[in-house]
Amino acid sequence: MCAVRTQVGIVGAGPAGLMLALMLERAGVESVVIECRSREHVEQRVRAGLLEQNTVELMHELGVGERMAREGLVHEGIYLRRPGATERVDITGLTGRRITIYGQQELLKDLIAARLERGGEIRFGVTGTRLHDYDGERPRISFEQDGQSAELQCDVIAGCDGFHGVCRASVPAGALTEHEYVYPFAWLGILAQAAPTTDELIYGWHDRGFALYSMRSPTISRLYLQVPSDERIEDWSDERIWAELQARLASDGWRVGEGPVIDRGVTPMRSFVCEPLRHGRLFLLGDAAHIVPPTGAKGLNLAVNDARLLSAALGAWYSSGEEAGLAGYSTAALRRVWQVQDFSNYMTNLLHDLGGGPFQRRLQLARLEHLSRSRAAATSLAENYAGLPAAPDF
Ligand code: FAD
Ligand code: DHB
């Protein structure tokens, strides 16, 4: 068995794990990242695409923002569309903040490259990850790599292994409180080789259900449709997908730009939070600890925020023995998590067919109307969408 000693053992090379590794390195703290998938898999997996200004600023501070600055698309507003009306929410005018479109897998490519160039370790393709002794002072993580048993001996374990990972699941029953709401619908998402025919994202309300028009570059579009939660992707031909997008996003004299579909998938929609985000020397970050429905585009940004808070706490602990940051990590991270849960739930309820019939639909239209007439209402949406400014306790 090969045993390796490090300060922080990080499980999962997603946005949370990799940002944490880079921030710890900057604070002079050693870590090893283990990941059950291959590097290729992690770098190809199509997921989120919208970065808050907080995330963008952190990428620059860590010296990994150069390609994002070149290739990312900076947006200053979003459109809210309903049949017969499109209203623009002027995010930058209302908040002074900007958002950047940059695919999650592009961000991950940049983080992985920087981590390896700087001599940091990421062990891809591990199996059988198990956590041990994290209620004491010498936690361990055991796993197999290339048929060999291996062990990481560390001071602290960072569980960054996503919703289906082993970290949260290994905490004894009853030690964490879980809050969950599963929405009765899902999102069918496609990536298409098609020039976007919109300059900013369009969130579309329609009787037929919600649709979202996003993008990845001047030649690649990313689009989503609300579908029933048990929907089979095989039942959606390209023709059916485009026809539905055209119907739900319709506007006079305008069409969604069509092209070959290069990736597709169905994502269930849930809200989930476990509390607290710590058990002994195990800390939970990102999707391992909380899930938001994607309507507010927050999952990735929230994962990065957890990493920012935990790295600051660990940096203080290692440099001066100061425990307050670690003791306060869960409370600080959850403060934003619940704000973002509320906003993601609000955006989801505002725009999806919730199954409540015509009365509920008229209320949604009244809220959309209110957003177009009330600067206060639009400002509230805009400041949440752009991301509330980062703080040491938030
Ligand atoms: P993840 O990115 O899930 O990373 C966890 C990593 O841990 C993975 O690489 C995984 O392979 C690894 N891992 C798991 N188990 C183990 C183990 N036992 N040992 C070692 N490694 C392990 N958000 C949006 O805002 N908009 C979207 O459109 C959107 N679409 C999404 C589509 C899908 C299919 C999914 C799953 C999520 C989507 N999200 C979206 C959410 C967003 O991508 C996540 O919030 C974000 O990836 C969270 O980052 P993370 O680092 O916490 O977790
Ligand atoms: C994207 C995803 C979202 O969930 C969202 O609200 C906005 C954009 C995207 O993948 O581009």
Side-chain angles (χ1 to χ4, degrees):
M1 204 244 326
C2 165
V4 173
R5 163 104 196 107
T6 190
Q7 290 177 309
V8 181
I10 301 178
V11 186
L18 291 168
M19 287 297 269
L20 180 66
L22 288 176
M23 282 186 275
L24 287 177
E25 183 206 272
R26 183 179 58 166
V29 178
E30 262 179 32
S31 65
V32 172
V33 182
I34 62 166
E35 165 59 50
C36 63
R37 301 290 194 158
S38 67
R39 178 175 181 179
E40 295 67 36
H41 181 94
V42 171
E43 292 186 344
Q44 297 309 321
R45 200 165 39 189
V46 178
R47 286 188 172 176
L50 195 134
L51 308 185
E52 290 178 356
Q53 188 166 315
N54 290 332
T55 303
V56 168
E57 285 169 1
L58 214 46
M59 292 280 284
H60 285 303
E61 278 175 32
L62 291 168
V64 290
E66 196 192 314
R67 191 165 69 96
M68 175 189 66
R70 247 183 300 122
E71 298 177 13
L73 306 172
V74 177
H75 286 190
E76 300 196 337
I78 56 170
Y79 297 109
L80 298 178
R81 177 168 295 173
R82 57 196 195 273
T86 301
E87 311 288 350
R88 180 170 185 271
V89 181
D90 182 1
I91 304 279
T92 305
L94 292 167
T95 67
R97 297 168 79 76
R98 290 177 174 72
I99 49 193
T100 299
I101 299 286
Y102 192 59
Q104 178 165 331
Q105 74 275 33
E106 303 307 320
L107 174 132
L108 290 177
K109 282 178 202 163
D110 298 343
L111 299 183
I112 290 168
R115 168 80 177 162
L116 298 177
E117 264 165 35
R118 295 171 190 182
E121 230 183 301
I122 310 174
R123 300 199 178 194
F124 289 101
V126 309
T127 54
T129 308
R130 289 182 59 198
L131 314 191
H132 312 271
D133 302 338
Y134 53 83
D135 40 7
E137 297 203 343
R138 282 277 169 267
R140 295 175 295 120
I141 308 172
S142 62
F143 55 95
E144 279 95 51
Q145 194 175 22
D146 305 325
Q148 303 269 329
S149 297
E151 185 174 276
L152 273 181
Q153 300 171 346
C154 34
D155 302 324
V156 163
I157 299 175
C160 305
D161 52 347
F163 186 66
H164 300 287
V166 296
C167 291
R168 189 184 72 254
S170 65
V171 175
L176 302 177
T177 303
E178 300 190 345
H179 307 271
E180 184 168 37
Y181 178 74
V182 179
Y183 296 83
F185 44 80
W187 275 17
L188 187 163
I190 62 162
L191 199 63
Q193 234 153 22
T197 53
T198 178
D199 57 340
E200 294 178 327
L201 272 54
I202 306 173
Y203 287 79
W205 181 98
H206 199 281
D207 275 336
R208 302 175 69 94
F210 171 71
L212 169 59
Y213 196 166
S214 181
M215 62 195 74
R216 287 291 177 272
S217 75
T219 55
I220 304 283
S221 299
R222 175 84 167 137
L223 296 121
Y224 299 94
L225 286 169
Q226 175 188 356
V227 294
S229 33
D230 54 359
E231 200 71 341
R232 285 159 21 107
I233 192 81
E234 303 80 45
D235 293 340
W236 286 81
S237 64
D238 290 9
E239 295 67 34
R240 183 175 173 207
I241 292 172
W242 289 118
E244 198 60 33
L245 287 165
Q246 298 293 2
R248 295 190 195 180
L249 291 167
S251 175
D252 273 353
W254 173 92
R255 282 179 67 77
V256 175
E258 298 187 13
V261 175
I262 50 179
D263 191 276
R264 68 187 77 216
V266 173
T267 309
M269 303 264 287
R270 62 155 60 81
S271 301
F272 175 88
V273 182
C274 80
E275 299 182 309
L277 305 182
R278 172 181 190 176
H279 187 74
R281 292 274 183 105
L282 167 66
F283 293 83
L284 297 173
L285 296 83
D287 280 15
H290 42 74
I291 296 282
V292 287
T295 328
K298 293 292 173 208
L300 185 164
N301 296 291
L302 214 44
V304 169
N305 194 63
D306 289 352
R308 175 181 63 82
L309 292 171
L310 187 62
S311 69
L314 285 168
W317 187 53
Y318 276 110
S319 64
S320 64
E322 171 65 65
E323 299 238 4
L326 284 184
Y329 163 72
S330 178
T331 305
L334 285 169
R335 204 171 272 134
R336 181 178 293 261
V337 166
W338 281 109
Q339 290 294 312
V340 166
Q341 284 292 354
D342 182 45
F343 176 65
S344 303
N345 179 265
Y346 159 80
M347 286 289 279
T348 303
N349 290 343
L350 175 68
L351 293 162
H352 289 73
D353 180 356
L354 303 172
F359 180 74
Q360 194 175 50
R361 317 274 305 144
R362 292 306 296 258
L363 291 182
Q364 289 175 319
L365 288 172
R367 276 198 189 171
L368 285 164
E369 179 84 28
H370 182 59
L371 280 165
S372 69
R373 293 182 184 278
S374 160
R375 190 179 168 89
T379 304
S380 173
L381 188 154
E383 67 184 15
N384 278 292
Y385 191 85
L388 294 163
D393 66 344
F394 185 63

